Amino acid sequence: MHPQLLGTLADQRRARLLAGADAHNLVATARRVPGAPRGESRGTWDMVWVDGAALHVRPVALDDVDRLERLFSRLSPRSVRLRFFSPIRRLSRPQLVRLAHVDHARREAIVAVHDDEIVAVARYDARDEPREAEVALTVEDAWQHRGFGSWLARRLTQIAVARGFETFVASILPENRAALGLVRALAPHASIRWNHGEYEASIPLAPAR
């Protein structure tokens, strides 16, 4: 399974414009659960308003397995291919459990929930290289093109930086121009190179603000 960013924007120019306009489109407030470690995602919820709809962003949990399965079933064939690099029809139960079971340190995933259904997931998995992690972003088709993907990527970046990570890496299919645009919008100095039929992006993480 090749982690990558699923772009939510039409092209590179649109990506840059929407990335700069996120503050106008999204309103987010963090609500900390008593006793949650400062700067960590565990126990922290963000409420994000997207086009008037409230989404709750929180860490993934084991009881999200069925929600993740339903999210996958709602993805278009194109979104599935861009995320998993293959036209797979379903995820096995062990695959779903692995996606939901993270240690909130070397592996993390945050989910956006609307009406008790997961509509987006951002995750990272630490690599063997120190301070480097593979990143993946999935947004349900109905919630794409609203600037929410870049907000979710920034939120995951803040979490990763707080845990000492310095670089995200991502594999991107050549037809996924929107993902390339999103990478450039989030990190203009990212390194993107062609390797064996796909793009590989190395994304430096700016300190969380």
Side-chain angles (χ1 to χ4, degrees):
M1 183 165 56
H2 296 265
Q4 66 161 324
L5 295 176
L6 275 182
T8 60
L9 310 173
D11 51 32
Q12 290 191 15
R13 177 174 174 77
R14 180 173 172 80
R16 293 190 184 96
L17 291 174
L18 284 183
D22 275 348
H24 301 287
N25 298 330
L26 305 177
V27 178
T29 56
R31 299 186 298 181
R32 184 167 300 282
V33 175
R38 183 170 181 79
E40 295 293 319
S41 71
R42 183 180 298 180
T44 301
W45 288 58
D46 296 323
M47 182 161 60
V48 186
W49 293 89
V50 181
D51 293 339
L55 278 70
H56 290 88
V57 179
R58 59 166 174 79
V60 73
L62 269 177
D63 62 5
D64 283 323
V65 168
D66 290 339
R67 294 183 183 88
L68 290 172
E69 184 174 31
R70 291 194 295 270
L71 168 63
F72 181 85
S73 71
R74 296 193 300 271
L75 295 177
S76 68
R78 182 177 187 275
S79 289
V80 170
R81 171 171 163 73
L82 294 182
R83 170 61 178 86
F84 296 100
F85 281 39
S86 176
I88 58 179
R89 300 180 65 110
R90 63 184 294 273
L91 294 175
S92 69
R93 200 67 177 180
Q95 287 175 317
L96 291 164
V97 170
R98 187 178 187 281
L99 291 175
H101 183 53
V102 299
D103 61 11
H104 302 288
R106 290 183 57 78
R107 297 184 65 238
E108 180 61 284
I110 55 176
V111 298
V113 181
H114 178 68
D115 287 342
D116 201 39
E117 290 292 339
I118 293 176
V119 299
V121 185
R123 67 174 59 249
Y124 71 73
D125 290 83
R127 293 166 58 114
D128 293 335
E129 294 292 329
R131 304 184 186 281
E132 186 175 277
E134 296 177 342
V135 63
L137 174 64
T138 303
V139 179
E140 183 179 336
D141 293 66
W143 290 88
Q144 294 177 14
H145 309 298
R146 305 192 192 191
F148 178 58
S150 60
W151 184 93
L152 203 62
R154 288 191 178 94
R155 184 70 185 94
L156 187 70
T157 296
Q158 291 175 339
I159 295 168
V161 168
R163 293 175 181 161
F165 289 95
E166 297 178 351
T167 307
F168 276 162
V169 294
S171 297
I172 304 172
L173 288 175
E175 63 265 35
N176 197 351
R177 306 303 299 180
L180 296 171
L182 181 56
V183 168
R184 288 302 189 195
L186 296 174
H189 301 297
S191 170
I192 301 176
R193 66 187 184 93
W194 180 255
N195 184 35
H196 295 94
E198 62 191 51
Y199 289 104
E200 291 184 353
S202 179
I203 308 162
L205 306 183
R209 297 180 178 179

